[in-house]
Amino acid sequence: MSYTLQPLLTGVTYFLTIRLADPHSDLLLRRIDLLRRAMRETLNRHPFRIDAISVLPATLHMLCTLPPGERACPRRIAMLKSRFSRGCPMSENRSSGQIKRGEKGIWLRHHWQHVIRDADDFMRHRDLIYFSPVHAGLCATPQEWVHTSLHRDVRAGINLPLSLHNSTQAKPIAQRPTTRLPNETKQIAGVVP
């Protein structure tokens, strides 16, 4: 049997999607203060930078960059889930496996994780994060959604997709213009000019 060695990735940027077990739940918004506290505790124990984030009722989309020398993204996700779950009651629909493992049945066991390859990949995923509430039918424009880092980026003067500035309806991903990163954003994305 042969084994393929994966390259050791450190200080990389990840796109993450973490979902609740019940896709119709609004628990993340109802308990947003608990989620924020769980995120702060996770950041204090295992630091990383949140480059972009959107919290939907049952889904969390995030771009995060680990510090140099770090590669343990799953540990951070597990800690976030655990800290959030501690403040929530048991789910009524736990499977026998979840009961056996002592899980509350709040989160899906697995998450989506993608390593950001370059500045364009970073922009595409940031765009996806900011438009996710529109795609979910929760608002008409990304600016209307409160639970996103879009507002932080606007205050910081970070270049955002043109479709955020001159559109009242979100454009499908394929129709959105490609934007180039300014040098400071390339550094945030882990791409050195």
Side-chain angles (χ1 to χ4, degrees), residues 24-88:
H24 305 292
S25 174
D26 66 346
L27 185 62
L28 294 179
L29 296 183
R30 275 190 292 120
R31 303 299 308 268
I32 193 75
D33 290 335
L34 178 60
L35 181 63
R36 286 181 178 134
R37 188 169 48 251
M39 184 68 78
R40 278 192 304 272
E41 291 172 4
T42 302
L43 285 165
N44 286 336
R45 296 274 310 255
H46 301 287
F48 60 94
R49 184 180 62 234
I50 299 174
D51 299 306
I53 190 168
S54 276
V55 179
L56 306 181
T59 305
L60 174 70
H61 295 294
M62 182 169 47
L63 270 174
C64 65
T65 301
L66 301 182
E70 292 281 330
R71 68 179 197 281
C73 201
R75 181 185 321 140
R76 289 166 168 86
I77 294 167
M79 183 177 209
L80 174 66
K81 287 178 171 183
S82 173
R83 300 241 180 225
F84 179 80
S85 297
R86 287 179 192 161
C88 297

Side-chain angles (χ1 to χ4, degrees), residues 8-163:
L8 185 62
L9 300 172
T10 62
V12 296
T13 300
Y14 290 98
F15 169 75
L16 302 169
T17 297
I18 308 167
R19 298 183 189 280
L20 295 178
D22 178 1
H24 305 292
S25 174
D26 66 346
L27 185 62
L28 294 179
L29 296 183
R30 275 190 292 120
R31 303 299 308 268
I32 193 75
D33 290 335
L34 178 60
L35 181 63
R36 286 181 178 134
R37 188 169 48 251
M39 184 68 78
R40 278 192 304 272
E41 291 172 4
T42 302
L43 285 165
N44 286 336
R45 296 274 310 255
H46 301 287
F48 60 94
R49 184 180 62 234
I50 299 174
D51 299 306
I53 190 168
S54 276
V55 179
L56 306 181
T59 305
L60 174 70
H61 295 294
M62 182 169 47
L63 270 174
C64 65
T65 301
L66 301 182
E70 292 281 330
R71 68 179 197 281
C73 201
R75 181 185 321 140
R76 289 166 168 86
I77 294 167
M79 183 177 209
L80 174 66
K81 287 178 171 183
S82 173
R83 300 241 180 225
F84 179 80
S85 297
R86 287 179 192 161
C88 297
M90 292 279 186
S91 172
E92 298 166 3
N93 302 321
R94 292 189 305 158
S95 68
S96 58
Q98 289 170 327
I99 293 168
K100 185 190 275 186
R101 290 186 297 270
E103 296 176 359
K104 287 192 170 183
I106 294 171
W107 298 97
L108 284 179
R109 280 183 63 78
H110 302 288
H111 65 276
W112 173 259
Q113 177 177 303
H114 166 75
V115 175
I116 300 299
R117 295 180 304 271
D118 56 27
D120 287 335
D121 197 26
F122 180 90
M123 294 296 282
R124 277 191 303 278
H125 284 86
R126 188 185 70 180
D127 194 18
L128 178 115
I129 288 169
Y130 289 156
F131 278 93
S132 63
V134 176
H135 294 157
L138 300 168
C139 56
T141 66
Q143 296 90 330
E144 293 174 28
W145 193 246
V146 178
H147 306 291
T148 178
S149 60
L150 169 67
H151 308 291
R152 175 197 70 188
D153 287 355
V154 168
R155 285 190 304 272
I158 294 176
N159 275 349
L160 297 172
L162 288 174
S163 53

